[in-house]
Amino acid sequence: MIPSKVTNIACIGAGYVGGPTMAVIAQKCPHIKVTVVDINEQRIADWNDTDLDKLPVYEPGLDQVVAEARDRNLFFSTDVENAIREAQMIFISVNTPTKTYGVGKGMAADLKYVELCARQIAEVATEDKIVVEKSTLPVRTAQSIRTILDASPARPLSSSPAPRFSVLSNPEFLAEGTAVKDLHNPDRVLIGGDEDEDGQRAMNALVEVYANWVPRERILTTRIWSSELSKLTANAFLAQRISSINALSALCEQTGADVDEVAHAIGTDSRIGPKFLKSSVGFGGSCFQKDILNLVYLCRHFNLPEVADYWEQVVKLNDYQKHRFAKQIIDTLFNTVSGKKIAFLGWAFKKDTNDTRESAAIYVADELLQDRAEIHVYDPKVTEERIFADLEYLQQHRSNSCNSSEFVQLDPALIRNLVTVHNDPYEALKDSHAIAVLTEWDEFRAYDWQKIYDAMRKPAFVFDGRNILNREELKRIGFEIKGIGKG
Ligand code: NAD
Ligand code: UGA
C-alpha cells in the first residue's frame, strides 16, 4: 500500500536543491531518516566533510543546519540503490539543463537524468513507494515517470506482486543565497498529485512532512499538472519583471530618467509591488533562462507560436542587456579594450552564493575577451577553477549553437593568458583602466574607494552593473561612473 506516513526519505541529487532542502527536512523532522545520494563522489565527500567550510553549496546558515542534523538523521551517500530500497518516499532532485543536442536542442529540458532515476527506482524497488518530482520539469513529465515505473522489470524469482508507485510534483521555490531562510519560512509549499486513492494517500504523507514546520494554510495541494506548470510559470513571471525593468533601463539612459526612481515609483503601487524590479546587467542562475526556454518549447510543441514568442522575448531582452553592458564598456573606453585591464568585481550570478551558472559575468567577459581585454576577476566565493571552466564551457557551447559571425571561439590557452583571478580585491583593481561590478556582494560597498582610485589608471571608469555603489561619493573622488539605467 502507498505509505500514508513516512519515516524514511531518500533524495537523488545532492546539488543546490537536494542538499539544502533535505538538510532542512532532516533538521525539522528528527523522526525521519533522510538520505541524500549522488553519483558524484566528490560532492558526497564534500557534504560529509567535517570542515563545514567545504560544503559544496555555499548558503548563509546552511552549515549550522547540516551540523545539527548530519549523522543524526541526515546522511549523504553514493549508495543510490540502497537508499531507494529503504525509503518510503524518494525525491528526484537531479539537474534538468537545457538540451545541447538533438531534438529540442537549445530549448527543451534535458530529462535524461530524471529518466535514469525513474528507471533505477523501477529496477530496485521491491515495495510500494512515493516518488516526488523536486526537479523543475515540463508539464506532464509525471506521466512519463509513471510509465517507466509501472513497467518495472518482471521479478521472475519473486512471488510478491510488483510494487505500486504514486508520483507527486513538489517543485522547489527557494532562491540561492536565501535558501535556508526560504526553506524555513516558505511563502507556500506546492504539492500536486493524482485524484485517486493512492494519490491522496501520497499527498497526505508529504503534507505531514512539511506540516512539521510550515503552517497548513501555506501548504497548497493541486492537481499534478497544475503543480508542474506553476513552477515554470512562477519563474517566467519573476524573470519577466526583470526583463521589463531592464528594457526600461535602456530608455532611461536615453532620456535622463533614473531606473531606480522609476522602479520605486511603480513598485509603491500595491498592485505592482516592489520586488524583482532591480535593474541589472541581466539575470543569471541555472533556472530562469532554462525554464523559460522550456516553456517556449512546450508552447511551440502545443502549436501556440504567439504564446511562445511572447515568453521568448524575456530571454532575448536579457541577452540584449548583457550585450548592452559589454558594449557600453567598449564604447566608453574609446572603442577598444584591447590590452586594457578591466577588473571584474563579482562572478557569481547573485550575492551570497558560489553558483555561477548562466552568470552575466561570463557573457560580459566573453564579449570583452573577443576584443582582447585583460580581465582581472575577484569574487569572494567563486574559485579560479570554476571561472576558467565557465569561460571554456561557453566557447564549446557557442560553437555548437551560435551562428553569429562576430564571435569567434577563443582558445583555452588564450583565455588563460588574458584572464587572471585574484584572492585580494585590491590586487584585482590595481592599475585597471575600468571596473565592472557584476555581482551585488555587500563587501564591495565597504571598500576604500579613494585607495582604489589612487591605484587606477586615469580616467578611472566604473561600470556598476548592479547599481550598488554610492555614485555621488565615487564622482566626488574623481571616478567616471556609469550605471544601468542611469541617465
Ligand atoms: P545541481 O546540478 O546542483 O544538482 C544535481 C545533482 O544531481 C548533481 O550533483 C548530479 O551529480 C546529481 N545527479 C544527476 N543524475 C543523477 C543520478 N542518476 N543519480 C544520482 N545523482 C544524480 O542542480 P540543482 O541546482 O540542485 O537543480 C536540481 C533541479 O532543481 C533542477 O531541475 C532545477 O531546475 C531545480 N531547481 C533549482 C533551484 C536552484 O536554486 N538551483 C531552485 C529550484 C528548483
Ligand atoms: C529563482 C527564483 O527566485 C526561485 O523562486 C526559484 O526557485 C529558482 O530561481 C529556481 O527555480 O532555480 P535564483 O535564480 O536562485 O531563484 O535567484 P533570484 O533571486 O531569483 O535571482 C535570479 C537572477 O535575477 C540573479 O542573477 C539576480 O541577480 C537577478 N535579479 C533578481 C535581478 O537582476 N533583479 C531583481 O530584481 C531580482
Side-chain angles (χ1 to χ4, degrees):
M1 201 193 288
I2 294 295
S4 58
K5 206 171 173 55
V6 296
T7 51
N8 195 319
I9 287 177
C11 173
I12 309 180
Y16 282 85
V17 166
T21 312
M22 292 303 128
V24 166
I25 290 183
Q27 181 196 31
K28 298 292 184 184
C29 310
H31 55 288
I32 300 178
K33 180 181 176 191
V34 180
T35 307
V36 193
V37 289
D38 205 294
I39 43 176
N40 182 332
E41 290 179 9
Q42 185 58 50
R43 230 177 201 186
I44 291 299
D46 291 344
W47 279 113
N48 281 323
D49 205 304
T50 45
D51 179 357
L52 291 168
D53 284 341
K54 298 230 175 85
L55 294 184
V57 170
Y58 171 71
E59 279 291 338
L62 182 61
D63 48 354
Q64 285 144 33
V65 178
V66 171
E68 188 181 329
R70 197 174 58 187
D71 298 330
R72 177 189 71 185
N73 63 326
L74 173 66
F75 302 92
F76 294 94
S77 164
T78 50
D79 191 346
V80 181
E81 293 201 351
N82 195 46
I84 293 174
R85 214 172 285 121
E86 285 189 349
Q88 297 141 319
M89 179 180 275
I90 302 159
F91 287 80
I92 298 180
S93 207
V94 298
N95 36 329
T96 51
T98 304
K99 270 186 97 174
T100 53
Y101 57 89
V103 179
K105 173 181 164 183
M107 300 292 280
D110 191 343
L111 300 181
K112 72 177 173 205
Y113 306 105
V114 172
E115 189 181 323
L116 274 172
C117 292
R119 287 185 189 281
Q120 200 169 11
I121 295 169
E123 264 169 40
V124 172
T126 50
E127 287 166 7
D128 298 349
K129 294 189 191 293
I130 301 167
V131 175
V132 185
E133 299 173 343
K134 182 53 103 180
S135 298
T136 301
L137 298 169
V139 56
R140 297 199 78 88
T141 304
Q143 184 60 51
S144 315
I145 294 180
R146 198 176 295 137
T147 306
I148 294 168
L149 293 173
D150 289 347
S152 55
R155 294 182 171 75
L157 299 178
S158 163
S159 55
S160 54
R164 290 219 311 260
F165 299 97
S166 185
V167 181
L168 298 179
S169 159
N170 172 221
E172 185 49 61
F173 295 104
L174 68 80
E176 290 179 29
T178 53
V180 173
K181 196 166 121 281
D182 296 342
L183 289 165
H184 279 163
N185 190 22
D187 286 348
R188 80 309 206 182
V189 166
L190 180 59
I191 301 172
D194 288 332
E195 287 160 274
D196 60 11
E197 198 189 323
D198 278 357
Q200 295 305 306
R201 285 178 76 83
M203 281 212 269
N204 284 340
L206 188 51
V207 168
E208 288 303 322
V209 173
Y210 283 109
N212 283 291
W213 78 98
V214 180
R216 294 255 174 181
E217 63 277 13
R218 285 199 231 155
I219 306 176
L220 313 181
T221 52
T222 64
R223 294 189 180 91
I224 196 156
W225 312 133
S226 310
S227 172
E228 285 181 336
L229 186 56
S230 299
K231 173 62 196 176
L232 289 187
T233 309
N235 274 356
F237 268 60
L238 290 168
Q240 179 201 43
R241 279 175 71 99
I242 303 170
S243 279
S244 296
I245 199 71
N246 281 345
L248 289 163
S249 73
L251 188 57
C252 286
E253 287 164 28
Q254 296 302 318
T255 56
D258 180 309
V259 76
D260 285 335
E261 289 178 353
V262 174
H264 181 67
I266 64 167
T268 42
D269 183 328
S270 61
R271 294 168 302 173
I272 296 175
K275 292 183 180 167
F276 271 72
L277 286 180
K278 184 76 188 152
S279 190
S280 68
V281 54
F283 60 74
S286 63
C287 293
F288 278 173
Q289 174 172 304
K290 125 177 127 56
D291 292 349
I292 294 174
L293 292 176
N294 187 7
L295 188 63
V296 170
Y297 182 76
L298 279 173
C299 294
R300 296 231 162 93
H301 173 80
F302 288 109
N303 199 21
L304 300 168
E306 291 81 1
V307 185
D309 291 349
Y310 174 75
W311 286 110
E312 193 171 23
Q313 199 56 34
V314 172
V315 174
K316 286 188 176 164
L317 200 288
N318 197 49
D319 288 340
Y320 166 73
Q321 188 75 347
K322 291 180 276 190
H323 166 67
R324 228 165 58 73
F325 184 74
K327 188 168 179 308
Q328 186 189 48
I329 296 176
I330 298 173
D331 288 352
T332 309
L333 292 181
F334 318 108
N335 242 351
T336 180
V337 286
S338 170
K340 292 180 184 162
K341 179 174 173 181
I342 315 292
F344 271 35
L345 284 181
W347 191 265
F349 82 97
K350 63 184 283 197
K351 73 173 182 177
D352 292 338
T353 178
N354 60 346
D355 195 348
T356 63
R357 288 176 288 181
E358 291 300 330
S359 179
I362 304 167
Y363 293 89
V364 174
D366 181 61
E367 201 155 334
L368 299 184
L369 289 172
Q370 295 286 332
D371 201 49
R372 303 296 184 267
E374 288 173 20
I375 297 181
H376 290 247
V377 186
Y378 168 76
D379 186 289
K381 289 289 171 196
V382 180
T383 61
E384 177 174 0
E385 198 187 355
R386 182 72 261 152
I387 291 171
F388 284 114
D390 287 339
L391 286 168
E392 283 162 24
Y393 177 83
L394 179 63
Q395 305 311 313
Q396 294 154 9
H397 184 63
R398 201 192 22 249
S399 67
N400 289 338
S401 64
C402 182
N403 50 15
S404 161
S405 55
E406 280 172 42
F407 284 74
V408 295
Q409 195 170 343
L410 301 170
D411 189 67
L414 179 67
I415 293 176
R416 281 177 189 269
N417 232 339
L418 292 174
V419 178
T420 313
V421 180
H422 296 264
N423 292 324
D424 175 353
Y426 291 95
E427 281 301 312
L429 298 166
K430 197 172 72 183
D431 290 329
S432 62
H433 293 80
I435 299 170
V437 180
L438 276 309
T439 314
E440 72 281 24
W441 287 101
D442 290 336
E443 65 173 64
F444 298 161
R445 291 178 228 254
Y447 286 175
D448 182 343
W449 283 95
Q450 181 67 57
K451 178 176 158 188
I452 292 168
Y453 179 79
D454 293 342
M456 277 179 72
R457 293 169 198 255
K458 309 296 179 311
F461 291 100
V462 173
F463 299 88
D464 187 355
R466 296 290 182 162
N467 291 338
I468 56 167
L469 299 176
N470 184 333
R471 291 167 67 80
E472 295 317 313
E473 175 66 9
L474 264 67
K475 277 186 190 159
R476 196 191 51 70
I477 292 173
F479 284 101
E480 300 280 337
I481 178 159
K482 294 195 182 277
I484 299 280
K486 304 280 174 183

